[in-house]
Amino acid sequence: MTYVSGFLLAVPTANKDAYRKHAEEAWPMFKDYGAVAMVEGWGDDVPQGKVNCINSAVMRQPHETAMFSWVVWPDRKTSDEAEQKMIADMQGKEFPEMPFDGKRMIVGGFQTILGDATVKTGYIDGTVLPVPADKREAYTAASEKMAALFQEYGAISVVDAWGDNLPEGTVNDFHTASLRKPDEAVVFSWINWKDKAARDAGWERIMADPRMQEFGPHTVGADMGRMIYGSFVPLVDV
């Protein structure tokens, strides 16, 4: 299975084009370090939550847009080596100016447990969910059933990735984003649709299907009240 570096961040909406350029220029470096794909998802519908949400996770300000993004590696070894190479290559160099507040960017490493993370994206439903750490196998089994249902109703692909390298941040991180408890893991997931119209039609049919009540993350004790989510348009997909 592949390995995913997942990111949540907030970008000034006025800097959309500058951020796209920044990401496109960064891709050759990631590719040289061994990355096989990269997607930058620009927030299209990111709701406020009652308990937590992506907006609160990245401390989004009114003039900013939330993002859900990832880089795909062949495995964790390649990801770890790339991180060390980046650090070494930046020694003695001035860090390039970024068109967003990097201090509020959330990053973590996730082992893909379901789906093909390299499939080209159309429209993205992204989620971050805390799951009991001892329920990985049960969660994977439930996710496989859910993925089949989503694909039956038009999803191109469904990807679930299990957190195994989630550093603590000085401002925020995946732990605070999901309000993770000590006995929980964090899952970074996305559903890939052809476009927003396909997504809307698919969800309407999925929610009307009684099978949706028979399985899902809630069946393994995951606290759905702390799931954070949103819909995103791919700004960069390479």
Side-chain angles (χ1 to χ4, degrees), residues 169-207:
T170 56
V171 178
N172 52 353
D173 51 40
F174 275 109
H175 306 287
T176 59
S178 61
L179 305 179
R180 187 186 73 83
K181 298 177 181 178
D183 62 345
E184 293 177 326
V186 178
V187 176
F188 183 88
S189 309
W190 66 89
I191 305 168
N192 178 23
W193 305 89
K194 177 183 177 182
D195 49 37
K196 186 173 183 177
R199 180 261 186 197
D200 292 345
W203 267 107
E204 182 176 355
R205 296 172 68 190
I206 288 165
M207 295 307 295

Side-chain angles (χ1 to χ4, degrees), residues 9-131:
L9 60 151
V11 176
T13 305
N15 289 355
K16 182 177 182 179
D17 289 338
Y19 184 86
R20 180 193 290 111
K21 183 174 183 292
H22 171 81
E24 290 174 340
E25 291 177 347
W27 168 244
M29 177 188 67
F30 283 117
K31 186 177 180 181
D32 286 345
Y33 290 144
V36 296
M38 181 180 76
V39 173
E40 299 281 357
W42 184 263
D44 180 62
D45 181 13
V46 185
Q48 289 294 117
K50 294 180 180 180
V51 178
N52 56 334
C53 59
I54 290 178
N55 294 320
S56 63
V58 298
M59 304 175 186
R60 186 185 70 83
Q61 299 175 18
H63 67 285
E64 295 177 323
T65 296
M67 299 195 67
F68 183 95
S69 307
W70 62 89
V71 176
V72 185
W73 308 91
D75 48 42
R76 177 169 177 174
K77 180 175 181 292
T78 305
S79 173
D80 290 346
E81 290 176 348
E83 181 178 359
Q84 294 304 314
K85 290 176 183 176
M86 289 181 206
I87 294 173
D89 288 348
M90 288 304 300
Q91 289 292 332
K93 296 180 182 178
E94 184 176 348
F95 201 82
E97 183 177 353
M98 297 184 291
F100 65 97
D101 181 3
K103 294 179 181 178
R104 288 183 283 134
M105 181 174 68
I106 297 174
V107 59
F110 301 81
Q111 182 68 51
T112 305
I113 58 174
L114 174 71
D116 184 350
T118 65
V119 173
K120 190 170 181 63
T121 53
Y123 190 79
I124 305 158
D125 281 330
T127 64
V128 176
L129 174 69
V131 177

